[in-house]
Amino acid sequence: MSLREFTVYPPFLMRVSFFFTPPPGPGSPTVLRCFLIGAPSDFFLTPQLNPPLGRSFLFSCFYVFILRRSLADLAATPPVGVPVHESGDAFVAEVDGVVCVCPWRTRLRGWLALEELAEMFPAPVLDAVLPPVVRGQALADHERWAERNPDARPWIRTAVWQVPVRWFVLFSDEEREHTEAAEGGGAPVLRYRTPMVQARRRLARSLKALRETVDEAPLTEGLVDVGRWLEEFHPRALVELDYGGLVHALSAEQLAGDRSAADVAEGIAALQAGDTEGASAAYGRLAERWRAVRDRQFAS
């Protein structure tokens, strides 16, 4: 199973995604997912291959399919910004003999992404792609749906051109899985995977350390948000972080040397020990690494 920003009764997968997905490549989303233990039939879902390491080509084909379907919706007259019906598909992974499921919930994630578009695009561009009447209808549909489904939440979070620092807090360097590009065109894979219990424990410890040593900051607020999201899922869930399309933006040497989870853990440990110099050094490595990646988004 692989993850690329973001369960059977279930373990689950979390991932953050923009409602129309970019093609496989540097701009494809990084993903944070929650899987629950169970079988697709338990959720009346259609299983989709979540390939093991070394089979990322199949996952790329899946993203091409999603992209084409999304672009077809946007090219319609009027455009369809959010799917009319909720997806019945799900990612399925087998871990240590246990089947885990993560529903796509594409329509729900589309509504949530639609609310953020105003912060991402200038008004003229946004109006050209999705006219105000289309956005208004989608938001009205979401409001009606939310009244009937007040406890619904996305199982996937995604981000583009970066992995949010707060996501690394959930994992240890020992949980890092890296496979280099395979002969014949197979893309490299870089991911982390951890039990929900461990993710919550690490987040709680990090949040405590930050609150005791620094003033309220974006990282603290981000951890609170992720913590609230994790609380929505069963303790036996599985949490996965996948670099997704970012593996195409980084060289083999950069991927091999990326120990972001270790840097985050080192920085938190330094704060707990009162070592501000050590914490600054760890944060500096992390900030420089991801600044270089984000800058590529605007490169010509």
Side-chain angles (χ1 to χ4, degrees), residues 211-282:
R211 284 173 167 168
E212 290 178 347
T213 55
V214 299
D215 296 331
E216 288 292 319
L219 179 56
T220 304
E221 297 174 359
L223 287 179
V224 170
D225 175 63
V226 172
R228 288 172 177 164
W229 183 57
L230 294 181
E231 289 175 357
E232 297 288 334
F233 298 93
H234 194 271
R236 294 183 61 196
L238 178 73
V239 184
E240 183 184 64
L241 167 63
D242 192 311
Y243 271 47
L246 279 183
V247 298
H248 300 284
L250 303 174
S251 67
E253 293 74 17
Q254 289 174 312
L255 287 174
D258 185 337
R259 320 298 293 204
S260 293
D263 288 335
V264 170
E266 180 180 332
I268 297 296
L271 285 176
Q272 291 174 318
D275 180 7
T276 56
E277 184 176 339
S280 296

Side-chain angles (χ1 to χ4, degrees), residues 24-92:
S28 300
T30 56
V31 180
L32 184 61
R33 303 184 180 113
C34 290
F35 286 89
L36 293 183
I37 296 171
S41 57
D42 297 336
F43 299 94
F44 303 99
L45 298 170
T46 302
Q48 301 294 334
L49 176 63
N50 195 13
L53 296 178
R55 297 176 64 188
S56 58
F57 171 74
L58 294 176
F59 208 33
S60 296
C61 290
F62 154 74
Y63 272 104
V64 170
F65 166 73
I66 293 298
L67 174 67
R68 289 175 176 173
R69 187 169 66 182
S70 299
L71 290 178
D73 287 341
L74 290 175
T77 304
V80 180
V82 176
V84 177
H85 303 290
E86 185 55 274
S87 171
D89 298 314
F91 291 107
V92 178

Side-chain angles (χ1 to χ4, degrees), residues 193-213:
R193 183 187 292 161
T194 193
M196 175 62 71
V197 173
Q198 284 282 25
R200 289 176 176 172
R201 183 178 296 121
R202 291 177 183 134
L203 187 145
R205 286 200 299 259
S206 299
L207 194 55
K208 181 176 183 292
L210 287 170
R211 284 173 167 168
E212 290 178 347
T213 55

Side-chain angles (χ1 to χ4, degrees), residues 4-6 14-18 29-33 109 156-159 167:
R4 303 186 182 201
E5 180 203 305
F6 279 170
M14 71 181 168
R15 161 184 182 169
V16 186
S17 296
F18 190 59
T30 56
V31 180
L32 184 61
R33 303 184 180 113
R109 290 189 291 117
I156 299 172
R157 290 189 166 194
T158 57
W167 290 3

